[in-house]
Amino acid sequence: QVQLVESGGGLVQAGGSLRLSCAASGSIFSINVMGWYRQAPGKQRESVAHITNDGTTVIADSVKGRFAISRDNAKNTVYLQMNSLKPEDTAVYYCNTNCYTGGSVHDYWGQGTQVTVSS
């Protein structure tokens, strides 16, 4: 019912930058929160950053000061600006949203986009 389309992943050298985008589409009444998780090889999925409907942001300590999250409510799109990338940032990044649709609140996930940071 709701789809998340991610883009912007790729290969970058350490110290470089990438911007991830995630656009939500479907029968969305309202979005409570949108954000990003990531899963590195051999590790559990972890929260990276999210932004709520009132503009409050939460950023993981591991990326604080380097990553920034923003949103475009008109487009139901969230962005993750990633600067000063490190090899340890290498992971599959998943967009996630909690939204009100179909008469109730649900969570939806994107398919993931690969971010690879070379040393």
Side-chain angles (χ1 to χ4, degrees):
Q1 190 174 44
V2 174
Q3 292 185 334
L4 302 177
V5 179
E6 301 142 321
S7 62
L11 174 64
V12 65
Q13 299 225 11
S17 298
L18 288 172
R19 189 177 75 159
L20 305 184
S21 300
C22 175
S25 62
S27 57
I28 301 170
F29 180 78
S30 64
I31 294 176
N32 298 318
V33 60
M34 294 187 73
W36 296 90
Y37 290 75
R38 69 184 183 186
Q39 188 165 17
K43 295 185 177 181
Q44 295 291 322
R45 188 174 298 186
E46 64 177 349
S47 176
V48 178
H50 72 259
I51 183 166
T52 67
N53 59 0
D54 66 356
T56 300
T57 61
V58 178
I59 303 175
D61 289 341
S62 59
V63 302
K64 192 170 295 182
R66 300 186 296 117
F67 291 11
I69 190 168
S70 61
R71 66 181 182 180
D72 185 335
N73 290 338
K75 299 179 180 179
N76 287 333
T77 299
V78 65
Y79 305 94
L80 184 67
Q81 179 65 47
M82 305 185 293
N83 299 321
S84 301
L85 283 161
K86 304 175 181 179
E88 50 263 45
D89 295 318
T90 295
V92 177
Y93 285 71
Y94 296 92
C95 182
N96 168 263
T97 184
N98 177 262
C99 63
Y100 188 79
T101 182
S104 59
V105 176
H106 299 278
D107 288 298
Y108 296 93
W109 293 87
Q111 79 286 351
T113 184
Q114 177 70 47
V115 171
T116 302
V117 184
S118 64
S119 59

